[in-house]
Amino acid sequence: MRLHLLALLAKEPAHGYELKLALEQTFGEAYPSPNIGQIYVTLKRLEEDGLVHSQDVEQATRPNKRVYELTPAGREALRAWVTEPSAGPRIRDEFFTKLILAPMAGLADRMELINSQRRHYLGIMRNLTGLTPSSTPARLLIEGAILHLQADLEWLERCQEELV
Amino acid sequence: MSTALLSTRGLTKVYRSEGVAVEAVRGVDIEVSSGEFVAIMGPSGSGKSTLLHMLGGLERATQGEIRLDGRRVDQLSTAAWAILRRRHIGFVFQFFNLLSNMTVADNVELPALLAGVPPRQARSRREELLGELGLAGKAGWAPARLSGGEQQRVALARALANEPSLLLADEPTGTLDSANTRDVLRLLQRAHDRGQAILLVTHDARVASRADRVLHLFDGMVADDAPVLRIPRPASGVRDVVELRG
């Protein structure tokens, strides 16, 4: 979340609640933004690390609000994040190790494990296909998740064909 | 006595080629209730299409029973099956199978006319269906002038023309892009909402996830049969699948 907040602050200084709203508006309900407490804690740590600094802005009718701004070091950290390639797709090795190891110990049947995992994936798929994206980024995020899930299901089928 | 709309018992299909017997479907027992939406998944060669074809009378079972509304239909003659399909079963194929030398309108009207519906009624039903599918303006066109997605919508209209109690669909989105897949899915959902029973073979988990229940075929047998349940975690979304880093 640190770098998401830095990226939003690179556009303009903002206070914590504005950052929460910006995350929600950009990614939609498919990717719920962190709660406000997490955002304040993260901003505090970013400030301790010298990546942002803040100042109190007086408001006429409400308590002061703390507005955060990117420092040169923060901009540098952000630049490094944007330019370096991101990690490739991760393998869901938790299910796979379960699939391989549990039957060896006589703890489960592979067909049963695959069936229950498939049911779980189909349930998530149903959630995803029932979402109405509020923006293009939100729609692309949902489509990405659907494509990952399709690959997971295909892989499950491969495991079934070769292991059962 | 079961009250299922469609049921099978020990349904089996054996193909023989050059003296070698290949069991494509091995003793399948399934039930589909009236108004239920059931998806059949499974790897290639697991017997999905063979099963669906037997249920639509397009292939004859080697062994076992098929009942529609409680009545045995597996022994029916080819002609009797044709009549049954006209009145009670709609069929949608992966490659649309529209009649290429007839217009879109005639493709949709034909099943009703064959079933003995008066021409005026067949026509108004056709107009209603094509209107609903957004194809009213293309009624006079030849199917070949339509895109794949449009042809599949016409095939759906044709299958629904006689308001069958059961719609069988074999990979209806198999050749479609994601926008057209969404359209076909929306139409299936609408038919389902109106109480249409649907039994659909698909590789596409997006399509299967909209069903009430998913059967998984493996090696010609039913390996799993379970309802599709939403994951009851609050705010569950893409986070269950992808992780945004940073």
Side-chain angles (χ1 to χ4, degrees):
Chain A
M1 210 219 327
R2 286 166 64 91
L3 288 149
H4 300 170
L5 297 183
L6 290 182
L8 290 172
L9 290 174
K11 204 173 123 220
E12 58 194 347
H15 57 87
Y17 191 67
E18 283 172 336
L19 293 170
K20 179 176 159 64
L21 285 182
L23 279 174
E24 277 167 4
Q25 278 161 11
T26 307
F27 295 112
E29 60 159 336
Y31 197 83
S33 73
N35 70 45
I36 192 71
Q38 282 173 286
I39 289 181
Y40 284 129
V41 168
T42 308
L43 286 170
K44 190 162 170 281
R45 294 208 180 120
L46 286 170
E47 188 158 33
E48 285 161 9
D49 295 343
L51 301 178
V52 301
H53 70 81
S54 67
Q55 61 185 61
D56 275 335
V57 174
E58 278 185 34
Q59 295 193 114
T61 54
R62 295 183 205 171
N64 293 353
K65 64 178 178 182
R66 186 161 283 266
V67 173
Y68 291 83
E69 195 175 345
L70 211 56
T71 64
R75 193 165 293 278
E76 183 46 40
L78 188 58
R79 200 198 54 77
W81 177 60
V82 170
T83 50
E84 85 186 3
S86 301
R90 70 215 149 81
I91 299 282
R92 278 172 190 277
D93 59 295
E94 195 209 329
F95 171 72
F96 189 68
T97 45
K98 206 190 282 182
L99 180 67
I100 297 300
L101 298 176
M104 285 166 54
L107 294 169
D109 173 70
R110 284 204 172 119
M111 187 70 112
E112 285 295 316
L113 285 174
I114 287 172
N115 283 343
S116 89
Q117 192 67 18
R118 185 191 306 105
R119 292 175 186 188
H120 181 68
Y121 287 163
L122 285 171
I124 298 174
M125 185 66 97
R126 192 179 180 100
N127 290 3
L128 289 173
T129 55
L131 291 171
T132 346
S134 50
S135 64
T136 301
R139 180 175 52 76
L140 288 170
L141 192 55
I142 293 168
E143 271 176 30
I146 286 176
L147 287 167
H148 275 281
L149 211 45
Q150 284 175 323
D152 288 330
L153 279 157
E154 241 171 77
W155 190 47
L156 211 53
E157 204 151 82
R158 188 72 53 82
C159 292
Q160 187 175 34
E161 284 171 319
E162 300 204 13
L163 295 175
V164 175
Chain B
M1 191 68 207
S2 150
T3 55
L5 172 66
L6 174 77
S7 65
T8 71
R9 192 166 278 277
L11 200 61
T12 300
K13 179 71 184 181
V14 182
Y15 291 110
R16 284 179 201 285
S17 90
E18 297 173 10
V20 184
V22 180
E23 284 189 294
V25 174
R26 307 193 289 158
V28 164
D29 299 342
I30 59 169
E31 283 199 1
V32 178
S33 303
S34 188
E36 196 180 16
F37 180 1
V38 180
I40 303 176
M41 298 189 82
S44 305
S46 59
K48 311 184 294 288
S49 286
T50 304
L51 173 61
L52 200 74
H53 285 194
M54 285 193 285
L55 298 176
L58 302 175
E59 280 188 62
R60 196 160 282 281
T62 310
Q63 237 185 335
E65 294 179 17
I66 305 172
R67 284 174 192 272
L68 194 66
D69 266 332
R71 174 182 153 224
R72 274 292 284 268
V73 294
D74 50 273
Q75 306 289 347
L76 294 182
S77 67
T78 310
W81 262 112
I83 291 169
L84 196 64
R85 275 198 302 275
R86 244 172 249 159
R87 305 229 168 107
H88 301 293
I89 302 174
F91 212 108
V92 178
F93 301 89
Q94 182 174 3
F95 297 104
F96 331 128
N97 287 13
L98 296 172
L99 298 169
S100 59
N101 55 351
M102 294 174 79
T103 63
V104 164
D106 289 344
N107 264 282
V108 178
E109 268 182 49
L110 188 64
L113 295 173
L114 287 174
V117 171
R120 193 176 301 165
Q121 201 181 320
R123 188 189 158 132
S124 86
R125 176 90 181 119
R126 174 262 289 173
E127 283 169 351
E128 184 189 323
L129 277 166
L130 288 181
E132 202 171 79
L133 306 187
L135 290 166
K138 297 183 176 173
W141 289 30
R145 287 178 64 199
L146 302 181
S147 71
E150 290 170 331
Q151 290 192 51
Q152 193 59 298
R153 279 186 272 158
V154 174
L156 254 171
R158 177 180 63 179
L160 296 171
N162 288 337
E163 302 179 316
S165 48
L166 178 64
L167 179 70
L168 301 175
D170 190 7
E171 296 277 10
T173 61
T175 61
L176 305 183
D177 63 20
S178 58
N180 279 305
T181 293
R182 267 201 303 276
D183 277 348
V184 167
L185 210 49
R186 197 168 41 79
L187 295 170
L188 288 172
Q189 188 68 51
R190 204 185 295 167
H192 179 45
D193 292 343
R194 280 197 304 246
Q196 177 84 56
I198 302 172
L199 183 60
L200 161 154
V201 163
T202 187
H203 264 111
D204 189 334
R206 288 170 302 178
V207 176
S209 76
R210 304 315 301 168
D212 300 319
R213 183 153 64 95
V214 175
L215 292 173
H216 198 87
L217 242 56
F218 188 64
D219 226 356
M221 293 188 284
V222 177
D224 195 23
D225 178 352
V228 183
L229 300 174
R230 290 179 62 94
I231 305 301
R233 199 184 313 166
S236 147
V238 299
R239 227 177 235 194
D240 291 317
V241 185
V242 295
E243 208 179 317
L244 295 186
R245 287 169 196 273

